[in-house]
Structure formats: structure tokens, C-alpha cells
Amino acid sequence: MLSVPNLLTLSRIFAVPLLVFLLWKPAPWDYAITFVLYCIVGVTDYFDGYLARAQGRISRLGQFLDPIADKIMVAAVLVMLMASRKADGDAPIIQDWSVIPALIILLREIMVSGLREFLAELKVLVPVSALAKWKTTFQLVALGALILGGAFPAQHWIHLVGIGSLWAAAALTLVTGWDYLRVGLKHMD
């Protein structure tokens, strides 16, 4: 239970309150620290799965906690980026039309979590598709760029990369969410 992969996954969960706290304040150095922490959390996400497979220590606890850790982090960071203010102004980092892809991502995460729980009771496994991994990649790049853009507000291109990646992640979110829903509908009465 307390294997290195599981400890890495737990560390991601415990890092979320710190990420939220750092995003609460709009100083550029807070965003810089948050970006470094966010990158560390992202690296642990890669290594927990890699180590579990390499060491043959894939556990039920790890399979349960890993997607939860990812969803908690993504949801918390998205909400904070929609609520916190840029260091150089009063506007949130994610604002106006860009709230739409953030909401799509949040709603899909809730829907897929509920669907996975429903399908688990039926002993139906839904494997993660390659497209879903691309969705996650765009999502993580988007959030990282948006955080980094808060550290360097004069570099508007960083923010634009984040917003563009957020829209790309939302598009892939709709496609992969539909794929999961289609599988789930086959098992509903």
C-alpha cells in the first residue's frame, strides 16, 4: 500500500491545497512558485505510473487514486485560474469565452467519474484511449502555460498558448467524453 508509486500519487493529492493557496494571491512570484510546483506534480504523475509498471507493483489503491489525483488537481487549478486575478490587473486568468472550455473540461471530468463508477459496478472496464492521453497533455500544457503566464504578465504569448491549448483540450474532451458515454450507454437499461 505504501509503495513509492502510491506515495507519489498521494503527494499529488496533498500538493493541491498548496497549489490553491499559491494561486490565491496575484503576485508574479506566486505564479512562478506555483508553476514549479505544478511541474513537479506533473513529473510525479508520470513517474508513479512508470514505476508501478516497471516494478510490477500496480495496486488497486494506485489504480483508484491516480485518476482522482489528476481530476482533483485539474479541477482545483481550473477553478483558481477562473477566480484569481492577474498580477497586472483585475481580470481573471481564465475569463470571458475562455470559461467555456474550462467548464467543458470540468463537466466531462464529473461525467466520466460517475460513468466509471457506474461501469465498475457492472465489472466493465473502460481503458484510457490514446486520444484521452492527448487530451490530458493539452490540458496539462494549458494549465501550465496559464500559470506561467501569471508569472510573466508582459509575455502575452504565454497566455495565448495556454488559452489555445485549453480550447484544444476542450475539443478533445468532447470527443473522448462522447466515447466514454457511448460505451456507458450500451450497458444501461
Side-chain angles (χ1 to χ4, degrees):
M1 184 166 143
L2 292 179
S3 65
V4 172
N6 287 346
L7 290 173
L8 288 173
T9 301
L10 287 170
S11 74
R12 290 197 339 262
I13 293 170
F14 292 131
V16 170
L18 186 53
L19 285 168
V20 167
F21 174 75
L22 289 168
L23 287 170
W24 203 278
K25 302 183 299 182
W29 59 271
D30 288 320
Y31 288 116
I33 293 168
T34 305
F35 179 74
V36 170
L37 179 60
Y38 179 81
C39 290
I40 291 169
V41 168
V43 168
T44 63
D45 185 23
Y46 170 78
F47 277 111
D48 67 0
Y50 173 79
L51 290 173
R53 287 185 298 277
Q55 297 173 351
R57 299 192 76 178
I58 296 173
S59 68
R60 288 181 189 246
L61 179 64
Q63 290 174 321
F64 170 72
L65 287 179
D66 185 64
I68 289 174
D70 294 343
K71 288 173 185 8
I72 289 171
M73 185 193 69
V74 166
V77 170
L78 276 173
V79 167
M80 290 309 298
L81 291 175
M82 286 187 285
S84 64
R85 304 292 182 204
K86 292 180 186 175
D88 64 346
D90 292 329
I93 291 174
I94 297 176
Q95 61 177 322
D96 300 330
W97 289 99
S98 298
V99 169
I100 293 170
L103 289 175
I104 288 170
I105 291 168
L106 286 172
L107 293 173
R108 183 254 191 209
E109 296 300 345
I110 293 167
M111 182 201 70
V112 168
S113 294
L115 192 57
R116 282 185 182 269
E117 186 176 328
F118 169 76
L119 293 173
E121 290 177 9
L122 301 175
K123 307 284 191 253
V124 176
L125 294 175
V126 183
V128 176
S129 68
L131 202 55
K133 290 183 182 193
W134 276 104
K135 182 260 325 169
T136 301
T137 300
F138 274 106
Q139 201 169 267
L140 295 177
V141 167
L143 298 180
L146 291 170
I147 293 168
L148 187 61
F152 300 101
Q155 303 296 323
H156 297 292
W157 67 271
I158 298 172
H159 182 77
L160 292 176
V161 166
I163 295 297
S165 297
L166 189 66
W167 279 98
L172 291 173
T173 291
L174 289 172
V175 172
T176 59
W178 172 250
D179 289 344
Y180 284 121
L181 185 59
R182 200 175 58 223
V183 169
L185 289 173
K186 290 180 185 176
H187 297 281
M188 293 183 189
D189 294 330

Coordinates of all heavy atoms in Angstrom, one line a residue, residues 93-135:
I93 N -7.5 35.1 -14.9 CA -6.6 34.5 -15.9 C -7.4 33.8 -17.0 O -7.2 33.9 -18.2 CB -5.6 33.5 -15.3 CG1 -4.6 34.4 -14.5 CG2 -4.8 32.7 -16.3 CD1 -3.6 33.6 -13.7
I94 N -8.5 33.1 -16.6 CA -9.4 32.5 -17.5 C -10.7 33.3 -17.4 O -11.3 33.3 -16.3 CB -9.7 31.0 -17.2 CG1 -8.4 30.1 -17.3 CG2 -10.8 30.4 -18.1 CD1 -8.6 28.7 -16.9
Q95 N -11.0 33.9 -18.5 CA -12.2 34.8 -18.4 C -13.0 34.8 -19.8 O -12.5 34.2 -20.7 CB -11.7 36.3 -18.1 CG -10.8 36.8 -19.2 CD -10.4 38.2 -18.9 OE1 -11.3 39.0 -18.4 NE2 -9.2 38.6 -19.2
D96 N -14.1 35.5 -19.8 CA -14.9 35.6 -21.0 C -15.2 34.3 -21.6 O -15.6 33.3 -21.0 CB -14.3 36.6 -21.9 CG -14.1 38.0 -21.3 OD1 -14.9 38.4 -20.4 OD2 -13.1 38.7 -21.7
W97 N -15.0 34.2 -23.0 CA -15.3 33.0 -23.7 C -14.4 31.8 -23.3 O -14.8 30.7 -23.5 CB -15.1 33.2 -25.2 CG -16.2 34.1 -25.8 CD1 -16.1 35.5 -26.0 CD2 -17.5 33.8 -26.1 NE1 -17.3 36.0 -26.5 CE2 -18.2 34.9 -26.5 CE3 -18.2 32.6 -26.1 CZ2 -19.5 34.9 -27.0 CZ3 -19.5 32.5 -26.5 CH2 -20.2 33.7 -26.9
S98 N -13.2 32.1 -22.7 CA -12.3 31.0 -22.3 C -12.9 30.2 -21.1 O -12.3 29.2 -20.7 CB -11.0 31.6 -22.0 OG -10.4 32.1 -23.2
V99 N -13.9 30.7 -20.5 CA -14.5 30.0 -19.4 C -15.2 28.7 -19.9 O -15.3 27.7 -19.3 CB -15.5 30.9 -18.6 CG1 -16.4 30.1 -17.6 CG2 -14.7 32.0 -17.9
I100 N -15.7 28.8 -21.2 CA -16.4 27.7 -21.8 C -15.6 26.4 -21.9 O -16.0 25.4 -21.4 CB -16.9 28.1 -23.2 CG1 -18.0 29.2 -23.1 CG2 -17.5 26.9 -24.0 CD1 -18.5 29.8 -24.3
P101 N -14.3 26.5 -22.4 CA -13.6 25.2 -22.4 C -13.2 24.7 -21.0 O -13.2 23.5 -20.8 CB -12.3 25.6 -23.2 CG -12.2 27.0 -23.2 CD -13.6 27.5 -23.1
A102 N -13.0 25.7 -20.1 CA -12.8 25.2 -18.7 C -14.0 24.5 -18.1 O -13.8 23.4 -17.5 CB -12.4 26.5 -17.8
L103 N -15.2 25.0 -18.4 CA -16.4 24.3 -17.9 C -16.6 23.0 -18.6 O -17.0 22.0 -18.0 CB -17.6 25.2 -18.1 CG -17.7 26.4 -17.2 CD1 -18.9 27.3 -17.6 CD2 -17.8 26.0 -15.7
I104 N -16.3 22.9 -19.9 CA -16.4 21.6 -20.6 C -15.5 20.6 -20.0 O -15.9 19.5 -19.7 CB -16.1 21.8 -22.1 CG1 -17.2 22.6 -22.8 CG2 -15.8 20.5 -22.8 CD1 -16.8 23.1 -24.2
I105 N -14.3 21.0 -19.7 CA -13.3 20.1 -19.0 C -13.8 19.6 -17.7 O -13.8 18.4 -17.3 CB -11.9 20.7 -19.0 CG1 -11.4 20.8 -20.4 CG2 -11.0 19.9 -18.1 CD1 -10.1 21.7 -20.5
L106 N -14.3 20.6 -16.9 CA -14.8 20.2 -15.5 C -16.0 19.3 -15.6 O -16.1 18.3 -14.9 CB -15.2 21.5 -14.7 CG -14.0 22.3 -14.2 CD1 -14.5 23.7 -13.7 CD2 -13.2 21.6 -13.2
L107 N -17.0 19.6 -16.5 CA -18.2 18.8 -16.6 C -17.9 17.4 -17.1 O -18.4 16.4 -16.6 CB -19.2 19.5 -17.5 CG -19.8 20.8 -16.9 CD1 -20.6 21.5 -17.9 CD2 -20.5 20.5 -15.6
R108 N -16.9 17.3 -18.0 CA -16.5 16.0 -18.6 C -15.9 15.1 -17.5 O -16.2 14.0 -17.3 CB -15.6 16.2 -19.7 CG -15.2 14.9 -20.4 CD -13.8 14.5 -20.0 NE -13.3 13.4 -20.8 CZ -12.4 12.5 -20.4 NH1 -11.9 12.6 -19.2 NH2 -12.0 11.6 -21.2
E109 N -15.1 15.8 -16.6 CA -14.4 15.0 -15.6 C -15.4 14.5 -14.6 O -15.3 13.3 -14.1 CB -13.4 15.9 -14.8 CG -12.2 16.4 -15.7 CD -11.4 15.3 -16.3 OE1 -11.5 14.1 -15.8 OE2 -10.6 15.5 -17.2
I110 N -16.5 15.3 -14.3 CA -17.5 14.8 -13.4 C -18.3 13.7 -14.0 O -18.6 12.6 -13.4 CB -18.4 16.0 -13.0 CG1 -17.7 17.0 -12.1 CG2 -19.7 15.4 -12.2 CD1 -18.4 18.3 -11.9
M111 N -18.7 13.8 -15.3 CA -19.4 12.8 -16.0 C -18.7 11.5 -16.1 O -19.2 10.4 -15.9 CB -19.8 13.3 -17.4 CG -20.7 12.3 -18.2 SD -20.7 12.5 -20.0 CE -19.0 12.0 -20.4
V112 N -17.4 11.6 -16.5 CA -16.6 10.4 -16.7 C -16.4 9.7 -15.4 O -16.4 8.4 -15.3 CB -15.3 10.7 -17.4 CG1 -14.3 9.5 -17.4 CG2 -15.5 11.1 -18.9
S113 N -16.2 10.4 -14.3 CA -16.0 9.8 -13.0 C -17.3 9.0 -12.6 O -17.2 7.9 -12.1 CB -15.7 10.9 -11.9 OG -14.5 11.5 -12.2
G114 N -18.4 9.7 -12.8 CA -19.7 9.0 -12.5 C -19.9 7.8 -13.3 O -20.3 6.7 -12.9
L115 N -19.6 7.9 -14.6 CA -19.7 6.8 -15.6 C -18.8 5.6 -15.2 O -19.2 4.5 -15.2 CB -19.5 7.3 -17.0 CG -19.9 6.4 -18.1 CD1 -21.3 6.0 -18.1 CD2 -19.5 7.1 -19.4
R116 N -17.6 6.0 -14.9 CA -16.6 4.9 -14.5 C -17.1 4.2 -13.2 O -17.0 3.0 -13.1 CB -15.2 5.5 -14.2 CG -14.5 5.7 -15.5 CD -13.1 6.2 -15.2 NE -12.3 6.5 -16.3 CZ -11.6 5.7 -17.0 NH1 -11.4 4.4 -16.6 NH2 -10.9 6.0 -18.1
E117 N -17.7 4.9 -12.3 CA -18.2 4.3 -11.1 C -19.4 3.4 -11.4 O -19.4 2.3 -10.9 CB -18.6 5.4 -10.1 CG -19.1 4.9 -8.8 CD -19.4 6.0 -7.8 OE1 -18.8 7.1 -7.9 OE2 -20.3 5.8 -6.9
F118 N -20.3 3.8 -12.3 CA -21.4 3.0 -12.7 C -20.9 1.8 -13.4 O -21.4 0.7 -13.1 CB -22.3 3.9 -13.6 CG -23.3 3.1 -14.3 CD1 -24.5 2.6 -13.7 CD2 -23.2 2.7 -15.7 CE1 -25.4 1.9 -14.3 CE2 -24.2 2.0 -16.3 CZ -25.3 1.6 -15.7
L119 N -20.0 1.9 -14.3 CA -19.5 0.8 -15.1 C -18.7 -0.2 -14.2 O -18.7 -1.4 -14.5 CB -18.7 1.2 -16.3 CG -19.5 2.0 -17.4 CD1 -18.6 2.5 -18.4 CD2 -20.5 1.1 -18.0
A120 N -18.0 0.3 -13.2 CA -17.2 -0.5 -12.3 C -18.1 -1.5 -11.6 O -17.8 -2.7 -11.4 CB -16.4 0.3 -11.3
E121 N -19.3 -1.0 -11.2 CA -20.3 -1.9 -10.5 C -20.7 -3.1 -11.5 O -21.1 -4.1 -11.0 CB -21.5 -1.1 -10.1 CG -21.2 -0.2 -8.9 CD -22.4 0.6 -8.6 OE1 -23.5 0.4 -9.1 OE2 -22.3 1.6 -7.7
L122 N -20.7 -2.8 -12.8 CA -21.1 -3.8 -13.8 C -19.9 -4.6 -14.2 O -20.0 -5.5 -15.1 CB -21.7 -3.1 -15.0 CG -23.0 -2.3 -14.7 CD1 -23.4 -1.6 -16.0 CD2 -24.1 -3.2 -14.2
K123 N -18.7 -4.4 -13.6 CA -17.4 -5.0 -14.0 C -17.0 -4.8 -15.4 O -16.5 -5.6 -16.1 CB -17.5 -6.6 -13.8 CG -18.0 -7.0 -12.4 CD -16.9 -6.8 -11.4 CE -17.3 -7.5 -10.1 NZ -17.5 -6.6 -9.0
V124 N -17.3 -3.5 -15.9 CA -16.9 -3.1 -17.2 C -15.8 -2.1 -17.1 O -15.9 -1.1 -16.4 CB -18.1 -2.4 -18.0 CG1 -17.7 -1.9 -19.3 CG2 -19.3 -3.4 -18.1
L125 N -14.7 -2.5 -17.7 CA -13.5 -1.6 -17.7 C -13.5 -0.7 -19.0 O -13.8 -1.2 -20.1 CB -12.2 -2.4 -17.7 CG -12.0 -3.2 -16.4 CD1 -10.7 -4.0 -16.5 CD2 -11.8 -2.2 -15.2
V126 N -13.2 0.5 -18.8 CA -13.1 1.4 -19.9 C -11.7 1.9 -20.0 O -11.2 2.7 -19.2 CB -14.0 2.7 -19.8 CG1 -14.0 3.6 -21.0 CG2 -15.5 2.2 -19.5
P127 N -10.9 1.3 -20.9 CA -9.5 1.7 -21.0 C -9.3 3.2 -21.5 O -10.2 3.7 -22.2 CB -8.9 0.7 -22.0 CG -10.1 0.3 -22.8 CD -11.3 0.4 -21.9
V128 N -8.2 3.7 -21.1 CA -7.9 5.1 -21.5 C -7.4 5.0 -22.9 O -6.5 4.3 -23.3 CB -6.8 5.7 -20.6 CG1 -6.4 7.1 -21.1 CG2 -7.3 5.8 -19.1
S129 N -8.0 5.8 -23.8 CA -7.6 5.8 -25.2 C -6.4 6.7 -25.4 O -6.1 7.6 -24.6 CB -8.8 6.3 -26.1 OG -9.0 7.7 -25.8
A130 N -5.8 6.6 -26.6 CA -4.7 7.4 -27.0 C -5.1 8.9 -27.1 O -4.4 9.8 -26.7 CB -4.1 7.0 -28.3
L131 N -6.4 9.1 -27.6 CA -6.9 10.4 -27.7 C -7.1 11.1 -26.3 O -6.9 12.3 -26.2 CB -8.2 10.4 -28.5 CG -8.7 11.6 -29.1 CD1 -7.6 12.2 -30.1 CD2 -10.0 11.4 -29.9
A132 N -7.5 10.2 -25.4 CA -7.7 10.8 -24.0 C -6.3 11.2 -23.4 O -6.2 12.1 -22.7 CB -8.3 9.7 -23.1
K133 N -5.3 10.5 -23.8 CA -3.9 10.9 -23.3 C -3.5 12.2 -24.0 O -2.9 13.0 -23.3 CB -2.9 9.8 -23.6 CG -3.1 8.6 -22.7 CD -2.1 7.5 -23.0 CE -2.4 6.3 -22.1 NZ -1.4 5.4 -22.0
W134 N -3.9 12.4 -25.2 CA -3.6 13.7 -25.9 C -4.4 14.8 -25.2 O -3.9 15.9 -25.0 CB -3.9 13.6 -27.4 CG -2.8 13.1 -28.2 CD1 -2.7 11.8 -28.7 CD2 -1.6 13.7 -28.5 NE1 -1.5 11.6 -29.4 CE2 -0.8 12.8 -29.3 CE3 -1.1 15.0 -28.3 CZ2 0.4 13.1 -29.8 CZ3 0.2 15.3 -28.8 CH2 0.9 14.4 -29.5
K135 N -5.7 14.5 -24.8 CA -6.5 15.5 -24.1 C -5.8 15.9 -22.9 O -5.7 17.1 -22.5 CB -7.9 14.8 -23.8 CG -8.9 15.7 -23.2 CD -9.1 15.6 -21.7 CE -9.0 14.3 -21.1 NZ -8.9 14.4 -19.6

